[in-house]
Amino acid sequence: MRWKKFLAVMLATAMTCNMTGVSVAAQPAVMGSFFQKIFGGDDSDKDEGAQTDTQKKTRSQAYGSGGSSKADSVTLDIGQGDILISGKEISGYDTEGNQVTKTSPRYVVTGSTQDHSIKVADGANANIVLSNVNISRTGEGQSPFEIADDSDGDVSVTLEGTNNLQAGDGAAAIQKSGTNGKSSSKSGQLKITCGNTSPGHVCDSSCGTLVAAGGEGAAAIGGAAGKGTSKIDIAGGTITAAGGIGGGSGGEGTKMEFSGGVIDAGTINGKTDGKDNVLNGDVLLFADSTADMKLKKGTVYQRGTGTGTVYGDTEWSQAMVDHLVATGGTMDIPAESKAAVTVDGATDISNLAFTENSQVKVDTSKIPAATPAEQAVAQGDAPA
C-alpha cells in the first residue's frame, strides 16, 4: 500500500547514516515496525538374477578427488538398491535400474527408499551429492548413510535440493563412528557443504537443505549409540540435526568445525576437556550449548536462553536474518567482533531485540521508493 511506501521514505531519510554501522541503541525504537515483513527395511541388495543382460550394463569412469565437474558425475538411484562405495569399485544402480560397478569422481544420489542405504567402505574416499534424497530406515542399527567405523577415507557430501535422512534406533543419520566411545585422530574427514564455492559466499535460501534424524542414543550426524566421532566439517547448507552433532550417547566428538551454513544442531556432543572443536566462518549455529568450543567467527544462538552472540568479523545472509526473525530473542553484536552484520531494510526485525551498543547496519537501499505523490505528502505539499 502507498502509505507503507511513504513510511519507507521517512525511514530511509532517518537512517541514511546507518549504513556506516551505528549502534542499534541509537536508532529509533520503532525501527522494526516500519520494515515490511517478508515472512511469509530391508538391507538386501537388488536381485541381479532378475535382470536382463541389457539391464546389467555398467558405467566405467576413473576415480578422482572432490571438486569434479558435473560432466564427470554418475547418477545413482537409492530407490533401486543399496549403494556401496569402496576404493576400487562401487555397487549401485542408475535411475533406469542398470547396475553401476565402476568408480567415478562424483556420485549424484537421488531417489527415495525405506529399504536401502548409502555405505562407504573402510578407507574409501568419496565425493557424494545428495540431490532430493529421502531415506527412512526404521530397523535397529540401520543408518541411511554409513561410513565404516574408524575409516581413514575422506568423504565429501554436497547438498542439493531438499534431503531427508532418518535412522533406526542406535544409528546416526550420517554415521561416522569411532570405536569404544572415542574418536580416532587417524580417521578421515567428513565434510558437508552446499556446493557453492564462490569466494565470499554466505549460505542463503538457494543452498541445499538436510533434515537428519538420528535414532535413539545416536547423533544425527556423527557417532552411533555408545561411539565417538572425529573430523567433521560442516561448511554449508541449511541443516537440521535431530539428535545433535558429535558423539553418540557415551561417546565424544573431536576436531569438529562449523564453518558455514545455517545449522540447527540441538546438542553439540563434543569433547569437554579442551577446546578441540571450533566455530570459524560465516555460519549461524543454533545449539543448546557450545560446551568448550573455540568461538572464533560466526553466530551462535542458544535456544535455552533465547540469546545469540556474534563472534569475529562475520556476515549474515538474508536467510540467516529470516531464521533469527522467525525465532525471536535477543542478539548481542559487540563492537569488538567487527561484524559486518547487515539487515535488509525491507525486513521487519521487530521480533528481535539487540543488547545495548550492538553493532548492526541497515541497508536502506532495499526500502521501496515512494511515488511523487507520496513524496509530496511527506513534504507537506499535498493532503494525506
Side-chain angles (χ1 to χ4, degrees), residues 237-296:
T238 299
I239 298 171
T240 300
I245 299 174
S249 59
E252 63 181 22
T254 64
K255 300 185 185 305
M256 298 188 296
E257 182 169 356
F258 302 88
S259 58
V262 178
I263 307 165
D264 194 339
T267 301
I268 303 295
N269 192 8
K271 192 174 181 179
T272 58
D273 58 349
K275 294 185 180 297
D276 199 51
N277 305 308
V278 61
L279 180 88
N280 190 23
D282 292 319
V283 54
L284 171 58
L285 175 64
F286 292 89
D288 295 337
S289 69
T290 55
D292 290 330
M293 184 184 297
K294 294 179 182 177
L295 302 171
K296 292 183 176 181

Side-chain angles (χ1 to χ4, degrees), residues 177-189:
S177 294
T179 55
N180 301 319
K182 299 293 183 180
S183 54
S184 172
S185 61
K186 296 181 180 179
S187 68
Q189 183 187 58

